[in-house]
Amino acid sequence: MSLKLVFFICLFSSLVLGYADGNSGKYPIVVSTWPFVEAVRAAWRAVDGGFSAVDAVVDGCSACEELRCDGTVGPGGSPDENGETTMDALIMNGVTMEVGAVAAMRYVKDGIRAARLVMQHTQHTLLVGEKASAFAIAMGLPGPTNLSSSESMEKWTKWKENGCQPNFWKNIVPPDGCGPYHPKSNADLTEGECFSSNLMGVVEPRSSLVGLHSHDTISMAVIDKMGHVAVGTSTNGATFKIPGRVGDGPIAGSSAYADDEVGACGATGDGDIMMRFLPCYQVVESMRQGMEPKLAAKDAISRIARRFPDFVGAVVAVNKNGVHSGACHGWTFQYSVRSPDMDDVEVFTVLP
């Protein structure tokens, strides 16, 4: 075989794989849930400067935590029933399939950095509660610190004055107070009443707490100049959640998923429902089977909507070639993108 033929074969292979000159024009790319423009800019500065996808995800999600995006990322928002703010976060490396995550983490404001420390310095995937806080502080993050704010405490006080309504309890008494709660007994049931999960599979509508500004997660995907993929999430969870609740944010395959061979997915919405379906794992696996990002995203959302028609949520998908799309149910969803052919971050709107 001549040297010229070998050269053209190698050149063709590099173009197909997206590695020509280290950057085919398809990436680097940053994709994030919601119009969190400054977070995407922070991630773009990192990845465009030659840093890894993991580094860029950390920079992007950290920026959102510092900015307290929508009051639902970082400290100072989404108080639980006790008025306390806690952190959930995850990072996943699509090259190694390693995951680091923290959940219900108290006293430490840097959720995504704590998640990365779990991935870097332990053989575990998820640390929770005060032990996660102790680990993060021992690894050098600042703390302990109060994660509440005047805004979160004011919101919590008004909720308490409204009899702790609405909330996430069900099948309990008292139904319209602040507790303490205990399960309904047969004596508490009125004639013809039954629990919401009955033999017919009827599910009661979700709490009105689940909405656009109650618990939005930043879920970010980055493909770096080498074509490597990473994802990350950060959230302070559902407003007025029952203490100890963990949503989909730190659950790999639910809030986010990455695989270098395929692409990535990020999710946001009613985490208690969405985590039962692992929508981001579903999206990535659908793309692995050849489905385009648009159809993969729609398919994952429709699987949830068929069983829970009142749920609100969305996913954004990006394949290894940088093609992206989103799908949603119950609300209008927006996601942000920065790629080499854009002068700045662009926001895309997805209708339900």
Side-chain angles (χ1 to χ4, degrees), residues 6-340:
V6 170
F7 171 78
F8 280 113
I9 290 174
C10 291
L11 177 61
F12 176 75
S13 298
S14 67
L15 289 171
V16 170
L17 294 173
Y19 284 103
D21 299 324
N23 181 0
S24 68
K26 301 170 184 175
Y27 41 74
I29 187 170
V30 179
V31 181
S32 172
T33 55
W34 304 114
F36 296 151
V37 173
E38 292 302 323
V40 174
R41 285 174 178 157
W44 177 258
R45 285 192 295 270
V47 74
D48 190 46
F51 287 89
S52 72
V54 170
D55 290 329
V57 164
V58 171
D59 282 3
C61 290
S62 290
C64 219
E65 291 171 349
E66 290 292 331
L67 292 168
R68 302 183 178 186
C69 291
D70 271 0
T72 59
V73 180
S78 301
D80 64 17
E81 283 192 341
N82 294 333
E84 184 179 9
T85 297
T86 55
M87 302 289 289
D88 294 348
L90 169 147
I91 190 161
M92 182 173 187
N93 185 337
V95 180
T96 64
M97 306 306 287
E98 291 176 295
V99 175
V102 292
M105 185 175 68
R106 309 172 72 187
Y107 312 133
V108 176
K109 66 181 180 65
D110 299 294
I112 191 67
R113 296 191 187 278
R116 185 177 190 177
L117 289 169
V118 173
M119 186 173 71
Q120 286 180 318
H121 299 297
T122 82
Q123 297 186 45
H124 301 310
T125 293
L126 174 64
L127 298 181
V128 302
E130 290 189 38
K131 298 302 183 181
S133 309
F135 165 82
I137 293 170
M139 291 293 103
L141 292 182
T145 185
N146 184 0
L147 302 185
S148 298
S149 65
S150 57
E151 293 81 6
S152 69
M153 294 309 296
E154 180 181 2
K155 181 184 294 186
W156 177 71
T157 298
K158 290 181 179 179
W159 179 73
K160 294 283 284 187
E161 291 172 351
N162 191 44
C164 302
Q165 302 301 311
N167 59 45
F168 289 98
W169 292 89
K170 66 179 184 180
N171 301 329
I172 48 87
V173 289
D176 52 3
C178 289
Y181 304 104
H182 62 85
K184 277 186 176 181
S185 65
N186 290 335
D188 295 318
L189 297 174
T190 59
E191 184 177 355
E193 182 182 3
C194 61
F195 291 135
S196 59
S197 297
N198 57 30
L199 295 177
M200 298 299 293
V202 176
V203 180
E204 66 184 14
R206 291 290 286 167
S207 167
S208 60
L209 282 170
V210 180
L212 188 59
H213 297 293
S214 63
H215 62 297
D216 297 340
T217 303
I218 181 171
S219 186
M220 177 178 284
V222 175
I223 305 178
D224 63 27
K225 288 185 175 183
M226 297 300 295
H228 298 318
V229 187
V231 292
T233 67
S234 183
T235 180
N236 49 40
T239 307
F240 311 131
K241 59 184 174 287
I242 298 170
R245 178 262 190 186
V246 174
D248 67 328
I251 307 302
S254 186
S255 67
Y257 199 72
D259 189 327
D260 246 32
E261 297 177 353
V262 183
C265 169
T268 181
D270 186 347
D272 288 298
I273 295 297
M274 297 181 77
M275 67 195 298
R276 303 170 190 176
F277 293 82
L278 297 179
C280 276
Y281 179 78
Q282 181 64 55
V283 165
V284 171
E285 288 307 300
S286 293
M287 292 193 298
R288 190 191 306 278
Q289 299 303 317
M291 197 177 288
E292 289 297 313
K294 182 177 181 179
L295 294 178
K298 286 185 175 181
D299 175 67
I301 287 296
S302 67
R303 289 169 185 253
I304 306 173
R306 285 197 297 268
R307 301 296 294 272
F308 293 90
D310 294 323
F311 104 98
V312 291
V315 296
V316 58
V318 56
N319 69 16
K320 63 182 180 180
N321 294 319
V323 179
H324 56 83
S325 189
C328 63
H329 183 82
W331 57 11
T332 297
F333 171 57
Q334 292 182 305
Y335 69 94
S336 305
V337 179
R338 180 70 160 94
S339 64

